[in-house]
Amino acid sequence: MGFRVMPKSAFPGWVEQMLQTYRVVGPRKIRDRYMFDEVNSPGDLDLTYSTTVLPPKKVLLPQHEELLSFDLESGKMEAAIDTQPTVLLGVHTCDLHAIRLLDAVFEDGYADQHYIARRQNVLLVSLECLSPCTEKSFCKSMGTLSVTEGYDLHLTDLGDSYAIDIGSERGQALLELTENAQPATDADYSRLNQTLSDKWPRFPYRLESDITELANLLAVSYDSDLWEELGEKCLGCGSCTIVCPTCYCFNVIDEVDFSLNAGSRIRQWDGCTLSQFAVVAGGHNFRSTNQERQRHRFFRKGKYQMEAYGLVGCVGCGRCAEACLVDINPVDTFNELSRRRIPMTRRHKEVLP
Amino acid sequence: MTQQKPKIAFFDFASCEGCQLTVIDSLQTNLELLNAVEIVNFREAMSEKGQDYQIAFIEGSCSRKSDEARLQAIREQADIVVALGACAHLGGVNAVRNRQPLEDVRTYVYGNKADWYETYPARPISQVITVDATIPGCPIDRDEFIASVKMLLQGRIPKLPETPLCVECKLLENQCVYTMGKVCLGPIVRAGCKAICPSFGDGCEGCRGLVSEPNMESLKQVMAEHGMADQDISHKLDLFLTYQMMNLENEEPK
Ligand code: SF4
Ligand code: SF4
Ligand code: SF4
Ligand code: SF4
Ligand code: SF4
């Protein structure tokens, strides 16, 4: 649909316009960290943010979400469906890739009506990263440092203006809220190209193998000693899975009022690195050690998601690495597995006479 | 549906009664609770005392021989016994003394009147009587108290949360206090307090007790890497967790 260019001076006015019709959620600085939060005025937004503690996933899949309310006395039951029109603004490309995975997961099989209702009413305005958000990120290695689809609008900072790529008709309509987005001129195009080509060398490749190799690397590393080493270090604190944009596991509980007959069914985040995650009826825990839980986590990130949906299960955002007190993270884990990879020749020798 | 309201009673042992104050506080925002139960014994809030109760909430640790008979009498009367707060649950701060020779502690506290007072190492009440449920914390969390009471009224037994505090802390998007040069017991402590200490920029002291599979060695290592001497690490772990730590170390009280 072609690029538009909007001077930065017009940006607050555009956000004001959005606020007339939409809930606007974007990165805000609160004390020393950034978080995605509802904004009340354009000044609340800070698009220069590095990263956030929790990913923008929380807008689509809230940490604590009412699924339905019930009253056993009257037999009434009502699904809680949130259709509030929302603009999710300033989503970095890694997180956009993660949302694509969430879409695939929640639309698959028995589609999740709560997620889908929210998703259909959320417009995604993504933002190109021009320098690494943290030292721990490795998006370039995971192929998530750019996007070509999945957004309604995509912004690139050109210094005094934003280049805006229109990704959908809804995005186009959102952009029409302002009169200050003009079709890009040749000069704008060359500035955009320069900006984009300047950005890549600023990002390191941190993964020593190719992402297409990861599934296979993990497959031959199921019995690696590394899992035991990680298991010994891991605190089981669950932080890594809670902060991850591609994690979506949840638990469901009922909360009742004092009548004991009426209440709500609540969904809340859970995570596979937590000790009780795999406890089933009868009390058996089918992943009872940190070692097994870490292996499972990294198999999800590097193998299972790729095989199930053809999308990367880790988008390299580095949030888990920031959160982990014992320095366990995907990139070091994959690299270490790669170094320790049992050479096929040796494996063959073991089976062949 | 008419049903007799369950009678509940509160008792205190070695404690500051802060948990019972939290109960009173939680009643103010949950007046419906008073319609759902009948409180027959609550020294903090009323003077009359009833002795027929079904649910007993016990605050405080068992810290002397004579506590045992009182605990047993409550156990005999109550259908359900709930340990209320860190002292009843873990021995609480009272158990700090368990690492020191008892005579020294008595003399330190009571001076030349030490012989007048009976005392022994502080213990969780579960070491004396069977406890059906526990509401942890110093003090307890009022929402958790209300949620637990509802479960009991439904005939369910509330379980201690197994998730570590870090989960709750991250869900609130707190900045980790380790990044501010402080230490925190969050990775090994049970969630449920809304991560109140880290939310205000302080490390968790562990008042809600250890999760069932704490990785002590690894967390000690983390604290050491953040500049804590071994002795400071022990002190940190001993504020609320002396009883649990001595158990893990197979140490007997002195
Ligand atoms: S953040 Fe680190 S210590 Fe905590 S569960 Fe994850 S890997 Fe283990
Ligand atoms: S595994 Fe870690 S780096 Fe990968 S997407 Fe999740 S939080 Fe980001
Ligand atoms: S990981 Fe990469 S894409 Fe994601 S926020 Fe950081 S720099 Fe941007
Ligand atoms: S502040 Fe404490 S509870 Fe919060 S994430 Fe850090 S270690 Fe965990
Ligand atoms: S953060 Fe730790 S010390 Fe503070 S109330 Fe919660 S469990 Fe207790």
Side-chain angles (χ1 to χ4, degrees), chain A residues 32-33 35 54 58 63 232-237 239 243 256 258 260 269 274 276 293 323 325-326, chain B residues 32-33 146 150 153-154 162-164 166-167 170-175 178 187 212-213 215 218-219 222:
Chain A
D32 283 332
R33 83 289 198 201
M35 54 202 273
L54 293 184
K58 71 174 195 182
Q63 298 97 303
E232 254 167 48
K233 273 209 305 185
C234 172
L235 299 161
C237 73
S239 293
V243 301
V256 291
F258 273 107
L260 307 183
W269 293 3
L274 294 167
Q276 307 303 302
R293 293 188 282 267
L325 291 169
V326 297
Chain B
E32 311 99 304
L33 177 61
I146 295 293
K150 285 178 187 166
L153 294 175
Q154 286 178 303
E162 274 297 343
T163 39
C166 290
V167 168
K170 289 285 184 249
L171 289 175
L172 291 163
E173 296 193 68
N174 288 329
Q175 189 184 358
Y178 277 97
S212 53
E213 296 172 31
N215 190 342
S218 188
L219 188 68
V222 169

Side-chain angles (χ1 to χ4, degrees), chain A residues 138 240 243-246 297 301 313-321 330:
Chain A
F138 50 100
C240 49
V243 301
C244 179
T246 63
R297 169 189 169 207
K301 300 299 161 203
C314 166
V315 296
C317 72
R319 285 190 181 90
C320 59

Side-chain angles (χ1 to χ4, degrees), chain A residues 31-218:
Chain A
R31 273 173 305 195
D32 283 332
R33 83 289 198 201
Y34 293 98
M35 54 202 273
F36 277 91
D37 199 7
E38 192 163 342
V39 301
N40 304 311
S41 78
D44 293 341
L45 280 168
D46 184 351
L47 292 186
T48 67
Y49 80 109
S50 49
T51 184
T52 50
V53 181
L54 293 184
K57 147 184 112 175
K58 71 174 195 182
V59 174
L60 299 165
L61 187 70
Q63 298 97 303
H64 185 95
E65 166 190 14
E66 184 184 48
L67 296 180
L68 58 89
S69 57
F70 57 84
D71 185 347
L72 301 181
E73 205 75 42
S74 66
K76 247 178 79 177
M77 216 182 295
E78 204 176 336
I81 300 291
D82 176 3
T83 55
Q84 192 180 5
T86 299
V87 177
L88 182 48
L89 197 66
V91 178
H92 285 163
T93 54
C94 57
D95 286 332
L96 197 77
H97 280 268
I99 290 173
R100 288 182 61 201
L101 177 71
L102 298 182
D103 288 350
V105 169
F106 284 104
E107 281 160 15
D108 191 25
Y110 189 80
D112 189 295
Q113 55 175 336
H114 308 278
Y115 179 91
I116 289 172
R118 272 206 193 79
R119 182 66 184 84
Q120 282 170 348
N121 288 286
V122 168
L123 278 94
L124 292 172
V125 180
S126 49
L127 179 67
E128 187 83 12
C129 289
L130 300 179
S131 56
C133 57
T134 67
E135 272 175 27
K136 310 241 163 138
S137 62
F138 50 100
C139 48
K140 186 173 175 181
S141 299
M142 303 313 285
T144 56
L145 180 50
S146 63
V147 275
T148 51
E149 56 180 327
Y151 49 83
D152 296 293
L153 293 173
H154 181 70
L155 310 184
T156 305
D157 188 333
L158 297 181
D160 55 1
S161 57
Y162 287 111
I164 305 178
D165 185 25
I166 300 169
S168 71
E169 280 171 21
R170 293 199 305 173
Q172 171 131 34
L174 188 68
L175 195 56
E176 276 163 12
L177 292 178
T178 174
E179 284 155 12
N180 296 302
Q182 301 301 326
T185 61
D186 286 351
D188 293 327
Y189 271 104
S190 69
R191 263 207 309 168
L192 177 61
N193 285 336
Q194 193 62 47
T195 303
L196 294 180
S197 84
D198 286 350
K199 91 166 208 178
W200 288 91
R202 292 188 198 118
F203 292 80
Y205 273 117
R206 295 189 51 215
L207 194 64
E208 289 163 14
S209 44
D210 189 274
I211 42 167
T212 52
E213 269 180 73
L214 284 181
N216 190 253
L217 171 64
L218 285 162

Side-chain angles (χ1 to χ4, degrees), chain B residues 137-158:
Chain B
C138 176
I140 56 164
D141 177 83
R142 48 173 141 168
D143 297 329
E144 191 176 30
F145 171 73
I146 295 293
S148 302
V149 172
K150 285 178 187 166
M151 285 188 99
L152 291 169
L153 294 175
Q154 286 178 303
R156 299 157 71 198
I157 295 290

Side-chain angles (χ1 to χ4, degrees), chain B residues 104-243:
Chain B
D104 295 1
V105 173
R106 281 164 66 127
T107 315
Y108 182 78
V109 177
Y110 301 114
N112 59 10
K113 301 193 177 57
D115 290 344
W116 298 11
Y117 297 94
E118 62 153 330
T119 190
Y120 65 24
R123 287 181 295 163
I125 59 166
S126 60
Q127 297 303 302
V128 182
I129 56 173
T130 305
V131 169
D132 302 297
T134 297
I135 302 175
C138 176
I140 56 164
D141 177 83
R142 48 173 141 168
D143 297 329
E144 191 176 30
F145 171 73
I146 295 293
S148 302
V149 172
K150 285 178 187 166
M151 285 188 99
L152 291 169
L153 294 175
Q154 286 178 303
R156 299 157 71 198
I157 295 290
K159 282 206 252 150
L160 281 169
E162 274 297 343
T163 39
L165 189 74
C166 290
V167 168
E168 206 170 22
C169 190
K170 289 285 184 249
L171 289 175
L172 291 163
E173 296 193 68
N174 288 329
Q175 189 184 358
C176 180
V177 303
Y178 277 97
T179 65
M180 310 184 218
K182 297 179 184 173
V183 296
C184 178
L185 299 180
I188 55 166
V189 168
R190 292 181 195 277
C193 58
K194 309 177 184 81
I196 188 156
C197 299
S199 296
F200 285 95
D202 279 320
C204 167
E205 301 288 354
C207 76
R208 295 173 56 85
L210 296 174
V211 291
S212 53
E213 296 172 31
N215 190 342
M216 297 307 307
E217 287 320 304
S218 188
L219 188 68
K220 283 183 188 169
Q221 179 85 34
V222 169
M223 292 195 275
E225 280 162 14
H226 281 79
M228 269 190 126
D230 285 357
Q231 210 191 359
D232 297 336
I233 294 175
S234 305
H235 285 161
K236 178 104 180 157
L237 289 167
D238 272 354
L239 182 57
F240 283 105
L241 303 173
T242 304
Y243 195 87

